[in-house]
Structure formats: structure tokens, C-alpha cells
Amino acid sequence: MVFVQGCPWRCLYCHNPHLQPRDAAPAGPNWAELRDRLARRRARLDALVFSGGEPTFDPALPAAMREVRALGFRVGLHTAGMAPRRLRAVLSLVDWVGLDIKAPLTDAALHDRITGARGAARAVRASLLAGDALARLVDQLAAAGARHVVLRPCRPADAGASGGAPMAQPDSQHLAALRQRLPQLEWRGAS
């Protein structure tokens, strides 16, 4: 996993606040050093996930993803979906996307409060792959060679310390339709 510096949001529960400032001095290796390390580990690793911060805000992300693929690795992306156009621009370069939804998208005020950014829910809604958009993504992933896609629930942001109840499972008709497109599509509900 590579943690990319920079994120415009200031989520109340951010796990990596030291990665928020884009101009902070990097704590780890630069890209050339990391690429060399990856090249030496081809036999031991099979994928690299770009996380952050918010990796889609780094203008070098598409080129880095292409370099990682050229080395023979699969590519993953962990994003909060705050930049829908940038996300769409790299979807063809990734094998896996983890979309971190911060709050119920129907509650724009809560989304704004959690992220510290006005209009956050609108951006995430544009990135969220639901309904027909999810079906199109599953088709694209299958066409690109993906064989296994996992859908997972998230817990409501206002669930408190107990964690609250997970969001509901997609209905069986929706899952069945998606599995016709990609038979190994999996729903991983809360345990």
C-alpha cells in the first residue's frame, strides 16, 4: 500500500491527518525509490493499493498506476470519491476500488460536518456506483479481466461507539442481475 500525501477534506475521524497537507515533507520514499523497490519484489507481491490522503488529487496518480501495471502488478485504489472526474479518469487502470462513504448521502449537512467540506455529499454521489452506474462498472471490470468484485456495507456515520446497524443488503434481484454480469460478485454483509 502506498499512502499519497494530500487531502482537501478534514474528516472528524481521519486515520491519517498527517497526510492531509499536500505540501508537507514526505516521510517515506519518493516515487522513484518506491518503483525500484516494487521492481525488486515482483516475485513476492502481486498488487499495490494507492490510498491516502486522497490519491485522486495527486496529478501523478495515472502515470504511477500505469508504471505499476507495467511492472506486472495489479492496482487498487482507496478513495473517498470526492473527485468524480478524477476517479473516472483512472477507473480503467485499477483492478479494485474501495470507496469510503463517510455518511448517508441523503444527509448533506452530516456529510459536510464530518468532512469539513461544503457539498461533499454531492461529489460522492457523483462517484458512487449505484443502480445503473454500478451495473456499468461491473461490466467494465469484467471486460478488463476482473473476476471477483466484493460489495460491502458501511455503518452509518452517526452510529456512535456501538457501531450501530450496518446499512441494508442490496435486494436479491439487484445482486442477481449483477452476478449475471460477473458471476463471482460477492456481497459481504456485517458479521
Side-chain angles (χ1 to χ4, degrees):
M1 182 166 286
V2 172
F3 293 92
V4 179
Q5 188 76 39
C7 183
W9 284 358
R10 297 299 180 259
C11 296
L12 298 173
Y13 53 80
C14 181
H15 295 284
N16 297 318
H18 61 287
L19 294 175
Q20 290 174 348
R22 177 78 177 136
D23 58 357
N30 65 36
W31 178 246
E33 293 168 331
L34 181 58
R35 188 184 53 233
D36 291 345
R37 285 184 190 179
L38 286 171
R40 290 191 306 267
R41 290 179 170 84
R42 284 185 195 170
R44 294 185 195 145
L45 302 174
D46 58 4
L48 181 74
V49 175
F50 290 90
S51 188
E54 174 54 46
T56 60
F57 272 81
D58 192 313
L61 180 67
M65 287 178 163
R66 285 197 262 318
E67 288 182 48
V68 168
R69 291 189 81 75
L71 288 170
F73 294 101
R74 291 184 307 224
V75 174
L77 175 66
H78 187 243
T79 178
M82 65 181 69
R85 284 182 290 191
R86 293 174 189 204
L87 175 58
R88 279 191 295 275
V90 298
L91 277 179
S92 65
L93 301 172
V94 300
D95 301 290
W96 173 85
V97 175
L99 189 58
D100 186 2
I101 308 297
K102 307 292 185 177
L105 295 175
T106 55
D107 190 340
L110 177 60
H111 223 289
D112 290 355
R113 190 170 73 246
I114 288 171
T115 64
R118 278 187 70 134
R122 184 175 49 251
V124 177
R125 260 193 306 278
S127 293
L128 185 60
L129 306 162
D132 290 340
L134 181 57
R136 285 193 308 273
L137 175 62
V138 167
D139 288 342
Q140 290 171 350
L141 292 171
R147 297 293 168 246
H148 189 196
V149 171
V150 177
L151 301 177
R152 297 182 61 172
C154 67
R155 296 195 181 281
D158 57 354
S162 67
M167 294 177 78
Q169 175 172 338
D171 66 65
S172 59
Q173 284 184 314
H174 193 201
L175 282 175
L178 293 173
R179 285 186 180 124
Q180 286 180 342
R181 293 171 147 83
L182 190 64
Q184 290 186 28
L185 184 123
E186 179 182 348
W187 164 259
R188 285 192 192 159
S191 50

